[in-house]
């Protein structure tokens, strides 16, 4: 079975560094981009199995990227995990409403994140 | 003597007497003249007698005939004219006087008609002036009522001795069961207000008319009210004061909660942050650390990081709670918001009507939706637009739906960046969403596309058909003195009440299941100041009783106990005379529970059964139904034998009986109670 791929869309370098290590250590192939438009380009180039998507991004919000993924016939089935530093319930509801499969609020424990990623990719492969 | 006699005799009789006297006098003169002629000239007496009889009878007949003509053509028309003029002077009759009835009285009838016309014109002018003034007062009254009713702050006007003579809805919301003519101290802890009043008085002595601020707790200690009190001066005399206040409970507790949260947050973050810093420093600076110690320290860092995260989660949730408590929006109907959207937009939108209420800034939300609608329709790629509301668990979602092209979150974000309205300056749709602590988002499903805007639901506003409560009375009588017995009945406040019970025997274990009360102040039944509560009797309600009052065990399950309900009712009755139909029965139930309630029901009491017995015959019917029939008071059948239905009927009957009592000369409370005492003795003798 081929290695699962994850696209990390995160504009903050420090958290991206940590997430890159965490996701890599969990055994997934990872690509990181730092803006909404770069995410769209990356998605057009290669379809990942999972997108870890920050909400607050330059150019296009994570909500919009998620919407575009769900609207695209090819990309529609990709699992989306949204992450945000905003802790409001309404943000979580909006994220789920635009099509996210899961939503996590920063800060989160590394173990919780990898567990969530594993669960989503297990569903994806099922 | 003569004057009295003429007054007693009617005009026509006087005229008849006048002509009678004329005829008789003439006949006597003729007879005298004939006797005199006979005595001087002599001659046959028969001739004199015959001449005398003919002359005398002729004169009497002539006098009678002229008298009758005079009666018909002068006396009767004069009386008719007088009657017509009197009628028009005393009653508002706008008819011309019939001049034909007084045709022999020359210009008297036209003159009377001229007076009548002038009188009618003067009356009409006065009536027009009264109508103008009444309409002006009604307009001012409506304006005043609307202003006070819907004022966002609580407003109370009190007499100089601190009795309530006006309050608005907000004051009622904030202070609970406030009522006219009741002491302010029953609703508000008086000390801070007294202090503000004293400062206000001192300023007045210095010639300054100022408003003084106060922060006072409500009487039940549940709320803190922040307000101002200012004097009402009439001819330099203090005729009362106005209190304007708002609820500061949330402000104070939110402020305290913020302070507490910040302190706790600092402590919660500092401790793990300090530990992490110390552990990291050791790990980096000590090279020869034993592997097990290094592992322990790493574990320590992980534990502290977990504590830090948990602390942030906890504070984030607590902060959200505080923010949501500070939400000050007023209730707005969804239909009002939708109408606003339609008014702000040319788009053809199908609106699904909704009865739901929102806690929001109605204008901002309507303008925001209209702005989104304008953008949705500007490129002609969308149609079948619709607006609807979905209500669920404290939340109302406004749904803007359409068919056609979808919308991205990016487009929405761009649209919401623009200022909402000139009225709001630079305030954008995004700002409005932030102020409402919400967001909106696009969704797509099989039925088409939609934008969802969740907002907090609000409690429904008062229905327009609600009875207009009596919120003010500027003619409150002076405060009752210490001797209530001497007080005029018209100056007293009354609480008419009724109880429903599990049975008829208070000493045999029967209990109260419902209490209702209604206040009467200044002779007015205050339908806005009612007391109505079910009471949990702590025992089963017999089905026979339920058949009478329709109160079941299930209905009273969550109701307050008699201890709690009794205290609230005691507060409601403060300073009032208690009135009930067959008062001894209802009072027996309350007085037996005085120890449990912790209050004494020692108010003066009037009983409408005994009042009725005193006013009408001693053996007649004095049931509530009989009294209602007698006074034309209608109780809807569904209200009969409900505590409030019977209370309203008793109050209606009572105010009518008060009038009759006063007409009978019983004008004081003492007089009414003495009258009742007399009736009690009679009724006891009759085995009442």
């Amino acid at each position: 079975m081929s290695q699962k791929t994850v696209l990390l869309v995160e504009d903050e370098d420090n958290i991206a560094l940590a997430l890159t290590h965490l996701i890599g250590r969990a055994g997934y192939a990872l690509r990181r981009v730092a803006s909404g438009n770069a995410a769209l380009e990356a998605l057009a180039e290669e379809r990942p199995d999972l997108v870890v998507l920050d909400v607050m991004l330059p150019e296009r919000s994570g909500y919009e990227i998620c919407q575009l993924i769900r609207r695209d016939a090819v990309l529609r089935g990709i699992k989306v995990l949204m992450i945000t530093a905003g802790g409001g319930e309404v943000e979580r509801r909006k994220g789920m409403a635009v099509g996210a499969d899961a939503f996590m609020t920063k800060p989160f424990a590394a173990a919780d994140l990898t567990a969530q990623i594993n669960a989503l990719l297990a569903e994806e492969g099922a | 003597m003569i004057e009295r006699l003429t007054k007693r005799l009617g005009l026509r009789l006087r005229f008849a007497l006048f002509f009678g006297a004329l005829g008789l006098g003439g006949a006597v003169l003729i007879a005298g003249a004939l006797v005199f002629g006979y005595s001087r000239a002599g001659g046959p007496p028969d001739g004199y007698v015959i001449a005398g009889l003919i002359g005398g009878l002729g004169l009497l007949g002539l006098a009678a005939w002229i008298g009758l003509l005079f009666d018909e053509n002068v006396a009767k028309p004069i009386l008719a004219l007088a009657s017509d003029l009197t009628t028009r002077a005393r009653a508002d009759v706008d008819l011309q006087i019939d001049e034909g009835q007084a045709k022999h009285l020359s210009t008297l009838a036209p003159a009377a008609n001229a007076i009548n016309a002038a009188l009618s014109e003067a009356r009409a002018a006065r009536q027009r002036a009264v109508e103008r003034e009444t309409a002006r007062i009604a307009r001012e009254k409506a304006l005043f009522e609307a202003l006070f009713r819907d004022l966002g702050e609580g407003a109370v006007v009190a007499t100089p001795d601190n009795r309530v003579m006006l309050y608005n809805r907000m004051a009622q919301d904030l202070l609970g069961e406030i009522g006219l003519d009741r002491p302010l101290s029953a609703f508000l802890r008086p000390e801070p207000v007294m202090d503000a009043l004293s400062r206000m008085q001192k300023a007045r002595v210095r010639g300054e008319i100022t408003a003084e601020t106060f922060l006072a707790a409500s009487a039940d200690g549940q709320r803190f009210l922040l307000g101002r009190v200012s004097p009402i001066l009439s001819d330099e005399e203090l005729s009362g004061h106005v209190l304007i206040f708002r609820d500061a409970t949330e402000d104070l507790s939110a402020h305290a909660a913020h302070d507490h949260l910040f302190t706790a947050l600092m402590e919660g973050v500092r401790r793990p942050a300090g530990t992490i810093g110390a552990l990291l420093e050791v790990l980096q600076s000590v090279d020869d650390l034993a592997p097990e110690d290094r592992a322990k320290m790493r574990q320590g860092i992980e534990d502290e990081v977990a504590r830090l995260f948990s602390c942030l989660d906890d504070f984030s949730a607590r902060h959200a709670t505080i923010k949501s408590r500070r939400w000050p929006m007023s209730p707005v109907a969804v239909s009002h918001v939708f109408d606003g959207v339609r008014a702000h937009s040319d788009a053809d939108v199908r609106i699904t009507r909704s009865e739901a209420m929102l806690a929001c800034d109605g204008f901002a939300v309507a303008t925001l939706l209209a702005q989104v609608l304008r953008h949705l329709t500007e490129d002609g790629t969308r149609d079948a637009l619709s607006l609807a509301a979905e209500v669920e668990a404290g939340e109302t979602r406004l749904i803007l739906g359409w068919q056609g092209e979808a919308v991205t979150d990016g487009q929405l974000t761009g649209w919401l960046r623009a200022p909402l309205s000139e009225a709001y300056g630079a305030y954008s749709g995004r700002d409005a969403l932030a102020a409402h602590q919400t967001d909106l988002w696009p969704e797509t499903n099989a039925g088409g596309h939609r934008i969802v805007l969740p907002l907090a639901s609000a409690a429904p506003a008062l229905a327009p058909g609600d009875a207009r409560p009596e919120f003010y009375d500027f003619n409150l009588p002076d405060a009752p003195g210490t001797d209530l017995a001497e007080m005029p009945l018209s100056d007293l406040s009354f609480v008419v009440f009724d109880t429903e019970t599990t049975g008829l025997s208070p000493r045999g274990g029967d209990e109260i299941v419902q209490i209702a009360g209604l206040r009467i102040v200044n002779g007015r039944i205050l339908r806005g100041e009612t007391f109505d509560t079910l009471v949990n009797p702590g025992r089963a309600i017999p089905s026979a009783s339920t058949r009478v009052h329709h109160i079941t065990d299930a209905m009273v399950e969550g109701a307050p106990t008699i201890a709690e309900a009794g205290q609230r009712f005691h507060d409601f009755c403060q300073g009032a005379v208690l009135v009930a139909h067959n008062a001894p029965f209802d009072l027996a139930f309350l007085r037996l529970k005085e120890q449990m309630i912790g209050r004494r029901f020692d108010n003066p009491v009037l009983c409408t059964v005994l009042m009725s017995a005193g006013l009408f015959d001693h053996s007649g019917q004095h049931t509530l139904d009989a009294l209602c029939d007698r006074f034309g008071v209608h109780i809807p059948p569904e209200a009969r034998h409900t505590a409030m239905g019977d209370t309203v009927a008793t109050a209606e009957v009572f105010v009518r009986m008060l009038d009759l009592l006063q007409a009978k000369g019983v004008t004081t409370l003492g007089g009414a109670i003495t009258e009742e005492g007399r009736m009690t003795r009679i009724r006891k003798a009759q085995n009442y």
Side-chain angles (χ1 to χ4, degrees):
Chain A
M1 202 169 111
S2 63
Q3 192 181 29
K4 301 265 185 185
T5 55
V6 176
L7 175 66
L8 172 65
V9 191
E10 172 62 69
D11 60 327
E12 280 184 39
D13 288 338
N14 279 338
I15 186 79
L17 182 68
L19 291 178
T20 304
H21 279 285
L22 281 172
I23 297 168
R25 206 171 61 189
Y28 304 113
L30 182 98
R31 177 174 179 191
R32 181 228 167 176
V33 292
S35 75
N37 284 346
L40 291 182
E41 285 167 21
L43 285 164
E45 284 168 19
E46 187 187 353
R47 183 187 185 283
D49 298 301
L50 169 76
V51 180
V52 177
L53 188 57
D54 188 26
V55 168
M56 297 291 284
L57 290 170
E59 298 154 5
R60 287 172 193 268
S61 72
Y63 297 123
E64 188 171 357
I65 302 296
C66 187
Q67 259 191 303
L68 294 174
I69 290 172
R70 292 291 174 248
R71 230 189 271 169
D72 187 292
V74 179
L75 303 175
R76 176 172 300 158
I78 298 177
K79 294 287 175 189
V80 176
L81 168 60
M82 290 189 89
I83 51 177
T84 179
E89 167 64 12
V90 74
E91 289 175 300
R92 194 194 65 76
R93 286 178 60 189
K94 183 171 176 176
M96 300 307 278
V98 296
D101 295 291
F103 197 93
M104 293 187 78
T105 304
K106 296 176 194 173
F108 39 75
D112 291 345
L113 180 77
T114 44
Q116 188 64 262
I117 290 173
N118 289 338
L120 287 173
L121 284 173
E123 279 176 32
E124 200 267 345
Chain B
M1 164 80 182
I2 291 172
E3 204 175 320
R4 263 213 322 267
L5 195 66
T6 52
K7 264 189 186 169
R8 258 178 47 203
L9 300 175
L11 182 68
R12 289 176 65 198
L13 185 59
R14 274 182 275 148
F15 278 144
L17 287 174
F18 171 76
F19 282 101
L22 196 65
L24 282 173
V28 169
L29 277 175
I30 288 171
L34 289 174
V35 169
F36 180 70
Y38 175 74
S39 67
R40 292 287 296 268
D46 289 352
Y48 284 100
V49 171
I50 291 167
L53 280 173
I54 291 171
L57 288 172
L59 188 66
L60 282 172
L62 190 66
W65 181 60
I66 293 173
L68 282 173
L69 283 178
F70 198 88
D71 181 57
E72 199 57 41
N73 296 305
V74 178
K76 278 185 180 173
I78 285 175
L79 287 176
L81 266 184
S83 166
D84 284 353
L85 280 173
T86 307
T87 306
R88 280 154 181 75
R90 290 190 179 156
D92 194 3
V93 179
D94 195 20
L95 288 174
Q96 274 232 323
I97 292 171
D98 177 14
E99 292 184 11
Q101 66 180 342
K103 59 190 173 198
H104 300 296
L105 296 181
S106 181
T107 55
L108 193 57
N113 253 335
I115 291 171
N116 183 37
L119 186 65
S120 295
E121 179 49 38
R123 275 194 179 129
R126 194 181 63 195
Q127 183 65 24
R128 284 193 297 275
V130 167
E131 280 167 9
R132 266 200 311 276
E133 197 59 14
T134 307
R136 186 183 66 75
I137 291 169
R139 276 196 306 276
E140 286 180 2
K141 182 169 175 277
L143 175 74
F144 165 80
E145 284 181 352
L147 186 72
F148 264 82
R149 186 187 58 228
D150 299 331
L151 195 67
E153 294 174 301
V156 169
V157 178
T159 57
D161 58 351
N162 289 310
R163 284 174 301 132
V164 176
M165 65 176 158
L166 173 149
Y167 60 89
N168 67 352
R169 278 189 195 172
M170 187 55 85
Q172 198 172 29
D173 285 350
L174 294 175
L175 298 177
E177 287 154 356
I178 189 171
L180 294 179
D181 199 29
R182 300 187 65 191
L184 198 57
S185 57
F187 315 103
L188 206 56
R189 298 270 163 90
E191 296 82 2
V193 181
M194 293 302 137
D195 185 57
L197 283 172
S198 139
R199 277 180 277 135
M200 188 184 87
Q201 290 285 34
K202 280 180 189 152
R204 223 183 109 219
V205 171
R206 293 195 302 270
E208 299 164 15
I209 308 297
T210 57
E212 293 290 336
T213 55
F214 65 85
L215 176 65
S218 56
D220 58 9
Q222 296 290 310
R223 290 177 188 276
F224 278 100
L225 303 167
L226 181 64
R228 285 161 287 127
V229 55
S230 47
I232 308 171
L233 296 174
S234 163
D235 294 334
E236 296 295 305
E237 280 296 307
L238 185 72
S239 58
H241 37 265
V242 186
L243 292 99
I244 305 279
F245 49 85
R246 66 178 178 81
D247 190 0
T249 320
E250 287 296 305
D251 286 1
L252 291 173
S253 75
H255 190 74
H258 261 125
D259 277 357
H260 178 72
L261 187 69
F262 183 75
T263 311
L265 175 67
M266 290 309 286
E267 193 180 319
V269 169
R270 269 196 186 119
R271 282 170 59 185
T275 312
I276 292 166
L279 289 169
L280 273 175
E281 210 174 310
V282 174
L283 279 174
Q284 282 164 354
S285 59
V286 183
D287 296 331
D288 55 348
L289 212 54
E292 60 271 26
D293 289 340
R294 192 173 288 275
K296 269 189 201 164
M297 285 187 188
R298 283 214 177 101
Q299 184 58 49
I301 290 173
E302 275 177 32
D303 292 347
E304 292 304 320
V305 166
R307 279 178 67 179
L308 201 55
F309 289 178
S310 140
C311 169
L312 284 173
D313 279 346
D314 179 33
F315 285 106
S316 172
R318 283 162 66 180
H319 187 240
T321 312
I322 294 172
K323 266 166 67 179
S324 64
R325 272 170 45 194
R326 289 170 59 81
W327 190 227
M329 298 294 180
S330 52
V332 180
V334 166
S335 58
H336 179 82
V337 172
F338 286 173
D339 288 343
V341 176
R342 190 170 260 168
H344 281 98
S345 161
D346 300 328
D348 183 18
V349 190
R350 186 171 52 81
I351 290 177
T352 306
R353 289 277 146 199
S354 167
E355 299 293 318
M357 299 292 293
L358 301 166
C360 74
D361 176 346
F363 179 77
V365 172
T367 316
L368 184 150
L369 286 174
Q371 193 182 53
V372 171
L373 195 58
R374 206 166 43 248
H375 286 294
L376 280 174
T377 50
E378 65 194 351
D379 60 2
T381 59
R382 301 175 185 94
D383 58 11
L385 294 137
S386 64
L387 271 173
E390 294 173 355
V391 183
E392 190 184 311
E395 180 182 272
T396 300
R397 292 185 290 275
L398 302 186
I399 310 291
L400 174 52
W402 72 92
Q403 300 287 336
E405 196 75 10
V407 166
T408 66
D409 186 63
Q411 283 174 302
L412 264 180
T413 305
W415 298 345
L416 294 173
R417 240 177 244 135
L420 264 189
S421 150
E422 276 183 21
Y424 278 168
Y427 191 75
S428 68
R430 180 52 57 196
D431 293 330
L433 291 174
H436 288 77
Q437 296 172 24
T438 188
D439 204 342
L440 51 72
W441 55 79
E443 289 181 359
T444 297
N445 55 30
H449 307 288
R450 56 191 223 158
I451 285 170
V452 179
L453 170 57
L455 290 163
S457 295
L462 276 180
D466 283 0
R468 178 80 191 92
E470 309 284 353
F471 280 139
Y472 62 87
D473 189 336
F474 289 129
N475 299 311
L476 286 182
D478 290 338
T482 46
D483 191 0
L484 275 178
E486 292 306 311
M487 289 295 299
L489 286 166
S490 55
D491 286 3
L492 292 167
S493 295
F494 301 92
V495 166
V496 183
F497 77 105
D498 186 45
T499 60
E500 299 298 336
T501 58
T502 57
L504 300 175
S505 172
R507 292 188 184 279
D510 279 321
E511 302 282 348
I512 292 176
V513 295
Q514 189 176 28
I515 310 175
L518 191 61
R519 284 165 53 77
I520 296 176
V521 173
N522 225 359
R524 287 195 306 170
I525 298 173
L526 304 181
R527 291 178 188 271
E529 294 181 16
T530 56
F531 182 93
D532 193 0
T533 185
L534 289 169
V535 181
N536 188 335
R539 53 156 288 179
I541 304 173
S543 55
S545 302
T546 297
R547 272 198 296 281
V548 175
H549 48 52
H550 304 294
I551 297 169
T552 61
D553 289 330
M555 287 164 72
V556 296
E557 199 180 310
T561 61
I562 188 64
E564 184 190 337
Q567 276 184 16
R568 281 181 45 219
F569 184 60
H570 189 271
D571 289 343
F572 184 76
C573 299
Q574 197 181 10
V577 176
L578 297 179
V579 179
H581 193 73
N582 196 6
F585 175 81
D586 299 278
L587 271 178
F589 278 93
L590 284 174
R591 287 187 172 150
L592 268 178
K593 298 291 172 192
E594 279 179 343
Q595 205 166 6
M596 197 181 281
I597 296 169
R599 310 272 181 90
R600 290 199 61 214
F601 286 90
D602 51 5
N603 313 45
V605 179
L606 290 174
C607 171
T608 45
V609 172
L610 293 173
M611 282 174 77
S612 170
L615 284 168
F616 307 107
D617 60 87
H618 299 161
S619 55
Q621 286 289 311
H622 307 294
T623 62
L624 188 54
D625 287 324
L627 288 182
C628 286
D629 285 346
R630 184 174 287 145
F631 288 110
V633 172
H634 174 68
I635 321 176
E638 67 277 10
R640 184 73 176 98
H641 289 302
T642 65
M644 187 46 85
D646 285 357
T647 299
V648 170
T650 307
E652 293 282 358
V653 165
F654 175 70
V655 289
R656 287 164 174 81
M657 286 205 286
L658 268 188
D659 290 343
L660 292 181
L661 262 189
Q662 300 195 49
K664 209 180 157 191
V666 180
T667 55
T668 62
L669 178 64
I673 291 173
T674 308
E675 180 75 0
E676 279 200 352
R678 194 173 66 81
M679 288 322 301
T680 308
R681 287 190 296 279
I682 294 172
R683 304 289 289 180
K684 269 186 182 159
Q686 292 175 340
N687 200 18
Y688 163 65

